[in-house]
Amino acid sequence: MLRKLSCLLLLGFAAPAIAETLPLPDGLIALNSVDGQALLIGSEARSDYFELSIHFTNQVHPAFCGPASMSMVLNALNVPRPASNMTLGLGMFDQDNVFTPATEAVKPRALIERAGLTLDELGAMFEAHSLKATVRHAEESSVEEFRTLARESIDDAESFVLVNYLRSSIGQERGGHISPLGAYDAETDRFLILDVTRYKYPPVWVRTDDLFQAMNTPDSDNDNRSRGYLLVRQ
């Protein structure tokens, strides 16, 4: 087990935090805690963790949780990568070159900087990169369906799931947020959120019921439709 743990530590998420982050509320388990590391090692589904962790990025703008999450998933899916000044011309997706003329037709970058992305807009942004994106509003789904679909997506390494949830519903500070999921632990029925504001919160394990409740909240920027989750594949 120590060998496995050492390998996971090398990926960065499980290393002890050096920078101060906001205190976690009861009910959430930080990945960089002893319990959080043990959950990852024993998790039932974790293929996406390895694919996403090597492409992890912090959002560079307060409204860029969607673009940051997109860049991770596009890289994990090996979508053809354009050159970018942000990645020294090495052809990786980042929070600059995720924007293309096709994504501008969905929602201009300038508007995203002011208001972020809704779940439907995020799905359309992925489709603008020629990917298949299935949008599931929580109000039209169920916790059982979410658990099944998200676990299957995490386990197959060929698709990825992103969640759009209200932070305050799980005890974190304030508004709506988007991040990908990296793993699922069946014994505790928890999903691992790879939070793209790592300077604010570490990746956390959250109970499935609590996460679904946080997704089943009105998104005021989407005609009061609920938030939800997004399944993305080639």
Side-chain angles (χ1 to χ4, degrees):
M1 179 174 287
L2 289 177
R3 239 177 119 180
K4 290 183 181 177
L5 181 56
S6 297
C7 291
L8 294 172
L9 288 171
L10 290 174
L11 292 175
F13 282 120
I18 297 174
E20 235 23 66
T21 56
L22 294 174
L24 281 183
D26 293 339
L28 299 182
I29 301 173
L31 177 58
N32 60 332
S33 68
V34 172
D35 289 343
Q37 295 170 22
L39 285 174
L40 181 59
I41 292 170
S43 58
E44 178 186 73
R46 61 185 183 192
S47 294
D48 284 1
Y49 172 83
F50 299 99
E51 296 297 327
L52 290 169
S53 65
I54 61 175
H55 298 296
F56 181 82
T57 186
N58 283 302
Q59 65 185 76
V60 297
H61 185 281
F64 271 21
C65 55
S69 299
M70 278 187 62
S71 71
M72 291 169 62
V73 171
L74 291 172
N75 286 324
L77 284 171
N78 291 312
V79 174
R81 302 156 180 170
S84 169
N85 291 332
M86 286 185 71
T87 49
L88 305 177
L90 297 177
M92 301 291 287
F93 276 102
D94 53 49
Q95 294 164 70
D96 183 27
N97 63 10
V98 294
F99 297 103
T100 67
T103 67
E104 287 290 298
V106 174
K107 189 172 188 176
R109 175 176 180 160
L111 288 181
I112 297 173
E113 289 176 351
R114 293 203 293 271
L117 287 166
T118 66
L119 187 66
D120 293 291
E121 289 167 346
L122 181 63
M125 293 276 284
F126 275 110
E127 289 177 343
H129 283 279
S130 301
L131 296 175
K132 181 179 180 181
T134 303
V135 173
R136 301 292 293 172
H137 290 276
E139 64 189 356
E140 298 168 350
S141 185
S142 67
V143 67
E144 293 81 13
E145 181 182 49
F146 165 65
R147 181 187 294 108
T148 298
L149 293 177
R151 183 184 65 231
E152 290 174 351
S153 177
I154 289 169
D155 201 34
D156 68 8
E158 296 176 357
S159 66
F160 296 87
V161 55
L162 300 94
V163 288
N164 179 15
Y165 60 100
L166 183 64
R167 278 196 186 277
S168 60
S169 184
I170 59 172
Q172 293 182 332
E173 287 202 354
R174 303 202 298 184
H177 190 53
I178 294 168
S179 284
L181 297 181
Y184 172 75
D185 179 67
E187 184 175 349
T188 61
D189 194 24
R190 288 177 181 268
F191 282 98
L192 176 63
I193 301 175
L194 299 180
D195 196 328
V196 293
T197 54
R198 194 174 173 189
Y199 51 85
K200 187 174 183 179
Y201 290 108
V204 293
W205 291 95
V206 57
R207 296 184 187 94
T208 301
D209 287 344
D210 293 341
L211 178 55
F212 188 81
Q213 181 179 347
M215 292 189 293
N216 198 16
T217 52
D219 184 350
S220 59
D221 293 327
N222 198 22
D223 296 325
N224 285 319
R225 294 200 72 185
S226 72
R227 297 176 173 88
Y229 55 102
L230 182 64
L231 303 167
V232 181
R233 63 170 57 247
Q234 288 281 9

